[in-house]
Amino acid sequence: MIRTSIRRLATATALAATVCGVAAFTVTAAAEPTPSAGRAATTSVVATAAERVDRDRPNPYAFLPRVPSFRLWSRTVSNGSPLPKAQWSGVFGVPGGKDISPQLSWSGFPARTRSFVISMYDPEAPTGSGFWHWIVADVPASTRNLPADAGAPGGKNLPAGAFQLNGDAGMPRYIGAAPPAHSGVHDYYITVTALDVPSTGLNADTSGALLGFTIDSHTIARATLLCPTPAP
C-alpha cells in the first residue's frame, strides 16, 4: 500500500512539473510580439529574436518593457547571418579580425526621439553576464546612420556629442567578436535604442549594465540586427 501511494505521488508530481514547464514555456514564448506578414523588414528582427526562446537561447531584451521597433539595416552585416571576419577582434587575437564596427542606417523611429544609444552585445559570452562589445551614447536624434569603423578609438567618425563607453573590454571603442573555441553559436545583438532625452548624463567609465538601467525608463523604441555567429 505504501509503495503504491509513493508511486502515485511520484506520478502526480511528475505530471504537475510537466504542466508547469509547459505553462512557463508558453508565457516565455509570448514575451515577444509575433509580427504579421508583410510588415517592414525590422519586424523580422523581432521574429528572429523570439525564435531564440524556441531554441532555449537567451534574448536579453525579452525581459525589458515592450517598445515599438523601427527599420534598421546595414551594408556590412545581415540580420540572421554570422558577423563577417572584419567585425571579429584582432585585439583579442582572432586571425583576420579587424575590430571594424559595422555600417548602420535606420529610419521610422518615433518623432519624439531626442537621442540614440548604439550597442553590440553577446549574451552567450562565458562570463555569467554576457559581454558588451560596443556602446555609443548620446547620438543626436538628427543622426540617421553611422559609417563603418565609427567605433574606432577616438571616435573621430562619430557625430558631435556622441561618445563610446569602455564596454567589457575596458576600452572606449568597438571590440569585435572573439567567441572561445568550441563554445557554440553566439548571438550578437547590434541594437539602436531611441530615447526621449538628449543625453544619458553618463561617461565613458559607465558599465553597460548601468547604462541599460539608466536608459530603461527613457527607451521609446528599439531596433536590432541579430547575427548568430559560430565559434571557431
Side-chain angles (χ1 to χ4, degrees):
M1 179 67 71
I2 294 176
R3 291 181 179 177
T4 301
S5 298
I6 291 175
R7 283 198 299 270
R8 288 177 178 173
L9 178 59
T11 301
T13 302
L15 288 172
T18 302
V19 171
C20 290
V22 171
F25 176 81
T26 302
V27 171
T28 304
E32 287 286 337
T34 302
S36 57
R39 294 180 63 183
T42 29
T43 23
S44 67
V45 175
V46 177
T48 304
E51 288 167 6
R52 299 277 78 79
V53 175
D54 293 340
R55 293 170 50 198
D56 195 27
R57 296 172 66 82
N59 171 5
Y61 298 108
F63 303 98
L64 302 179
R66 295 185 187 183
V67 293
S69 186
F70 52 92
R71 189 166 180 246
L72 172 62
W73 69 99
S74 173
R75 294 191 297 271
T76 308
V77 301
S78 299
N79 182 56
S81 298
L83 291 172
K85 191 59 70 173
Q87 279 65 60
W88 289 53
S89 182
V91 171
F92 280 1
V94 176
K98 298 181 179 179
D99 296 285
I100 297 176
S101 62
Q103 184 277 335
L104 298 172
S105 298
W106 57 92
S107 65
F109 48 86
R112 60 194 181 99
T113 298
R114 301 189 66 189
S115 69
F116 299 99
V117 166
I118 297 166
S119 61
M120 186 171 90
Y121 177 70
D122 170 17
E124 282 90 23
T127 64
S129 60
F131 196 93
W132 290 98
H133 286 261
W134 189 34
I135 309 173
V136 186
D138 293 4
V139 177
S142 58
T143 305
R144 300 293 184 275
N145 62 78
L146 287 184
D149 207 26
K156 64 180 180 180
N157 293 326
L158 291 175
F163 67 95
Q164 300 181 99
L165 276 66
N166 286 338
D168 285 329
M171 293 175 274
R173 58 166 298 174
Y174 173 87
I175 293 293
H182 313 299
S183 61
V185 176
H186 290 243
D187 290 328
Y188 293 91
Y189 287 78
I190 301 171
T191 303
V192 178
T193 302
L195 307 180
D196 63 2
V197 290
S199 174
T200 59
L202 303 174
N203 57 48
D205 294 330
T206 304
S207 70
L210 180 56
L211 175 130
F213 181 81
T214 301
I215 68 174
D216 180 61
S217 62
H218 295 289
T219 297
I220 57 176
R222 183 187 302 111
T224 297
L225 296 177
L226 180 58
C227 298
T229 304

